[in-house]
């Protein structure tokens, strides 16, 4: 469990997730904010379903909630954003 | 259920107060509608600043920093506190004049802060484009800094629980029962609690909590937007901020650049959605300050609320109309950085009957008498 990486963006192992759940972070959002899972470039596409399974397994509770999705979903260079909408000015 | 104190709101201020009161031996129940840090604390920019234009804010912030310095050890959990300073950019003579006034007041309170010339700016933050920012100088306080708001709040909640506090998440306050102008009981979705004191630390929702006891508070919720980039090699330690452009940004310990600025079109109200307008505005201003960032990816963008008062300073202390109803809101975007001292002052008032003079200058009454000074050092 120590060597299984669940969140590849933030380098979080399965053991770290299990430890945090046992330390009382059983709310998906609190778990996420404590470990930064889902906050890297992939924005949780890789790890969220896995974390959900682990949370379900460890708490015995059916986890139905999903963490908040933040825009822009895929990373965008700041230089591109400075151009704004195509029809602006 | 029965409790000495009921705290409404599981943000940093509610959790800090729960910790301090439980440590003093009081029975404390904290109720939070969603999860801990689900409001402004979880969306905040993580900055800790002592450079203010009003004495009250400066004092609260200086004392808060002393607590932040000790928190990791005291609470038994690393809160990632680090002191890289705050660099406040000045763009014109009027700003410089105000800065010099502020510095004089801040230094009289013992703060290490100084005015720095345009040429010195790059010694502190090398990646800044002094020309592009239109900077003519700046103020710098090296003991300002950052901490992780999630870790700080979780650490405070954990310590509070160790001292016996009952922190109830996913529990909504539905009513406050008042008898003979005194708080008697609160009703929640998980049962009623008999209590002598209720602390309103509900951030942007404080107005609704105060309405339950018939008190009108002059707070308004304002959406604020923040974004964060991908991780980069560590390049600077200070928070860069400009009151004129409204921008603030810093590099977090993990390497992300995190920053925000208000959009000119912003209106008050509970608007949760992030806007594309912000992204354009932010990207334009940030790349003007640091042109090399145009090649860097923005990965996440979110919103949070400022609970804004007419003078941009918090409302603290017991209500005169309803005994036992205690105000702890209106932080106007600065709740995280002021929370260590604010919670200490309120805990001493509630548990030890000790009244710090700051509770007089920051009482709700100031808006009725009109005796208040507006905090000028704010973004947006």
């Amino acid at each position: 469990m120590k060597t299984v990486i669940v969140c590849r963006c933030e380098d979080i192992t399965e053991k770290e997730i299990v430890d945090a759940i046992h330390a009382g972070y059983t709310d998906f959002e609190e778990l996420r904010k404590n470990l930064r899972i889902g906050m890297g470039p992939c924005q949780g596409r890789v790890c969220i379903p896995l974390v959900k399974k682990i949370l379900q397994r460890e708490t015995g509770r059916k986890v139905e909630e999903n963490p908040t999705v933040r825009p822009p979903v895929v990373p965008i260079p700041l230089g591109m954003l400075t151009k704004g909408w195509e029809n602006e000015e | 259920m029965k409790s000495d104190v009921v705290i409404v709101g599981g943000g940093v201020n509610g959790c800090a107060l729960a910790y301090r009161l439980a440590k003093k031996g009081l029975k404390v129940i904290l109720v939070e509608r969603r999860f801990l840090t689900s409001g402004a604390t979880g969306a905040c920019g993580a900055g800790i600043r002592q450079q203010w234009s009003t004495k009250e804010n400066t004092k609260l912030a200086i004392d808060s920093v002393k607590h932040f310095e000790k928190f990791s050890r005291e609470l038994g959990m690393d809160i990632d506190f680090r002191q890289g300073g705050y660099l406040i950019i000045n763009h014109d003579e009027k700003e410089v004049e105000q800065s010099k006034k502020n510095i004089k007041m801040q230094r009289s309170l013992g703060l290490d802060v100084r005015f720095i010339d345009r040429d010195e700016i790059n010694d502190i933050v090398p990646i800044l484009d002094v020309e592009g920012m239109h900077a003519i100088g700046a103020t710098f306080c090296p003991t300002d800094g950052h901490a992780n708001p999630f870790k700080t709040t979780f650490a405070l909640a954990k310590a509070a629980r160790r001292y016996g506090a009952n922190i109830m998440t996913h529990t909504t306050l539905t009513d406050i029962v008042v008898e003979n102008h005194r708080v008697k009981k609160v009703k929640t979705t998980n049962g009623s609690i008999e209590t002598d004191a209720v602390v309103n630390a509900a951030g942007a929702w404080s107005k609704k909590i105060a309405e339950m006891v018939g008190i009108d508070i002059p707070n308004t919720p304002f959406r604020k937007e923040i974004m964060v980039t991908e991780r980069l090699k560590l390049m600077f330690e200070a928070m860069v901020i400009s009151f004129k452009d409204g921008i603030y940004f810093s590099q977090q310990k993990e390497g992300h650049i995190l920053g925000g600025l208000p959009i000119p079109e912003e209106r008050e109200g509970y608007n949760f959605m992030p806007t594309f307008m912000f992204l354009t505005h932010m990207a334009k201003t940030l790349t003007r300050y640091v042109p090399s960032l145009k090649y860097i990816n923005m990965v996440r963008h979110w919103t949070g609320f400022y609970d804004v008062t007419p003078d941009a300073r918090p409302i603290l202390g017991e209500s005169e109309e309803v005994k036992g109803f205690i105000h702890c809101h209106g932080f106007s975007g600065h709740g995280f950085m002021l929370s260590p001292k604010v919670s200490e002052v309120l805990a001493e008032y509630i548990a030890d009957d000790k009244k710090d003079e700051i509770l007089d200058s920051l009482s709700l009454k100031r808006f009725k008498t009109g005796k208040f000074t507006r905090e000028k050092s704010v973004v947006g």
Side-chain angles (χ1 to χ4, degrees):
Chain A
M1 224 162 47
K2 258 185 200 157
T3 52
V4 178
I5 304 274
V6 175
C7 170
R8 295 197 294 215
C9 301
E10 301 283 334
D11 266 354
I12 306 293
T13 63
E14 185 181 5
K15 183 170 187 311
E16 285 174 278
I17 294 168
V18 171
D19 287 350
I21 294 169
H22 291 176
Y25 298 99
T26 52
D27 185 297
F28 209 149
E29 286 287 352
E30 285 180 10
L31 193 61
R32 183 176 81 107
K33 287 175 152 64
N34 195 34
L35 294 175
R36 308 192 55 83
I37 33 182
M39 291 191 183
C42 97
Q43 288 294 292
R45 270 190 298 275
V46 174
C47 66
I48 295 300
L50 297 170
V51 175
K52 216 168 167 171
K53 270 191 192 160
I54 298 169
L55 187 59
Q56 231 153 238
R57 186 186 73 204
E58 296 299 317
T59 59
R61 159 176 86 87
K62 189 155 172 51
V63 180
E64 281 172 7
E65 70 270 20
N66 280 309
T68 333
V69 178
R70 309 285 197 189
V73 187
V74 285
I76 302 174
L78 286 166
M80 192 185 281
L81 286 165
T82 59
K83 301 195 170 67
W85 295 106
E86 212 179 346
N87 56 4
E88 202 180 58
E89 288 165 59
Chain B
M1 280 181 284
K2 240 178 152 169
S3 183
D4 295 323
V5 186
V6 172
I7 298 168
V8 189
V12 69
N13 274 286
C15 290
L17 189 56
Y19 161 64
R20 296 207 188 277
L21 289 171
K23 198 177 174 184
K24 284 177 185 286
L26 265 66
K27 201 162 179 283
V28 181
I29 298 179
L30 183 149
V31 291
E32 161 57 46
R33 191 170 54 114
R34 295 175 66 210
F35 54 90
L36 299 182
T37 74
S38 55
T41 299
C44 95
I48 297 165
R49 155 158 73 102
Q50 302 160 95
Q51 303 180 61
W52 299 94
S53 77
T54 64
K55 252 189 174 160
E56 287 81 3
N57 275 356
T58 313
K59 271 193 201 164
L60 286 173
I62 291 174
D63 288 343
S64 289
V65 164
K66 288 185 188 130
H67 287 291
F68 274 120
E69 285 168 351
K70 292 183 296 190
F71 263 1
S72 291
R73 238 195 2 246
E74 183 183 332
L75 304 172
M77 212 169 128
D78 191 5
I79 62 157
D80 291 348
F81 178 59
R82 62 212 187 282
Q83 291 169 292
Y86 256 63
L87 185 71
I88 303 178
I89 308 297
N90 285 194
H91 308 270
D92 55 44
E93 287 306 327
K94 214 178 133 204
E95 274 194 312
V96 172
E97 200 183 306
Q98 180 67 40
S99 288
K100 297 212 159 143
K101 242 199 262 174
N102 293 352
I103 288 175
K104 207 173 153 203
M105 180 273 290
Q106 291 155 359
R107 290 186 76 100
S108 78
L109 295 172
L111 190 66
D112 173 15
V113 55
R114 64 195 167 95
F115 191 81
I116 63 164
D117 292 329
R118 190 179 186 270
D119 307 341
E120 277 181 88
I121 288 176
N122 283 132
D123 297 341
I124 295 165
V125 182
I127 58 166
L128 288 176
D129 177 1
V130 177
E131 195 103 349
M133 302 191 298
H134 311 300
I136 62 166
T139 66
F140 185 64
C141 168
T143 55
D144 285 347
H146 296 88
N148 182 316
F150 306 134
K151 288 187 181 170
T152 305
T153 310
F154 294 148
L156 287 161
K158 206 174 158 191
R161 282 179 170 133
R162 245 189 340 254
Y163 284 108
N166 179 6
I167 295 177
M168 300 167 70
T169 57
H170 302 284
T171 302
T172 306
L173 185 83
T174 51
D175 198 13
I176 302 171
V177 181
V178 176
E179 272 173 33
N180 298 324
H181 308 285
R182 256 195 172 284
V183 167
K184 270 273 163 239
K185 197 163 83 175
V186 302
K187 291 181 186 168
T188 79
T189 46
N190 282 317
S192 296
I193 310 161
E194 277 178 54
T195 185
D196 300 323
V198 174
V199 180
N200 183 3
W205 291 269
S206 294
K207 202 179 173 70
K208 303 201 169 191
I209 304 297
E211 273 168 15
M212 290 180 183
V213 294
I215 295 175
D216 183 34
I217 54 174
N219 307 26
T220 38
F222 271 96
R223 169 180 59 193
K224 297 285 163 175
E225 299 179 72
I226 302 194
M227 56 113 243
V228 70
T229 69
E230 60 190 313
R231 288 186 183 207
L232 303 167
K233 185 183 88 186
L234 291 179
M235 295 176 294
F236 62 106
E237 289 183 348
M239 171 82 94
V240 178
I241 170 169
S242 157
F243 299 131
K244 197 171 185 179
D245 290 324
I247 192 171
Y248 64 90
F249 62 95
S250 66
Q251 190 168 23
Q252 302 296 299
K253 193 187 120 204
E254 296 89 355
H256 317 99
I257 292 182
L258 183 146
L261 93 177
I263 52 171
E265 292 74 10
E266 194 59 79
R267 297 284 171 270
E268 64 178 78
Y270 294 103
N271 308 312
F272 291 90
M273 289 308 287
T275 65
F276 191 76
M277 175 96 63
F278 162 80
L279 288 182
T280 316
H281 209 62
M282 182 70 196
K284 274 183 188 161
T285 315
L286 186 58
T287 54
R288 180 157 66 76
Y289 274 57
V290 188
S292 53
L293 289 182
K294 62 175 175 254
Y295 304 108
I296 298 307
N297 283 315
M298 192 275 288
V299 298
R300 200 166 72 253
H301 161 208
W302 67 95
T303 64
F305 286 100
Y306 275 20
D307 176 30
V308 180
T309 63
D311 65 358
R313 299 189 302 169
I315 298 174
L316 306 174
E318 190 172 12
S319 154
E320 286 193 341
E321 295 94 347
V322 181
K323 287 285 158 205
F325 188 75
I326 292 148
H327 299 288
C328 178
H329 49 74
F331 288 96
S332 310
H334 315 113
F336 175 61
M337 56 180 92
L338 303 180
S339 61
K341 182 62 182 176
V342 164
S343 57
E344 186 180 62
V345 167
L346 288 179
E348 282 175 354
Y349 177 78
I350 296 167
D352 313 328
D353 237 350
K354 227 171 94 184
K355 195 174 178 189
D356 193 298
E357 58 180 14
I358 213 145
L359 292 180
D360 288 321
S361 24
L362 295 181
S363 72
L364 174 63
K365 211 169 69 181
R366 70 181 188 272
F367 300 113
K368 278 194 195 125
T369 58
K371 277 187 201 147
F372 59 85
T373 323
R374 206 188 132 71
E375 174 57 59
K376 293 194 186 88
S377 303
V378 288
V379 175

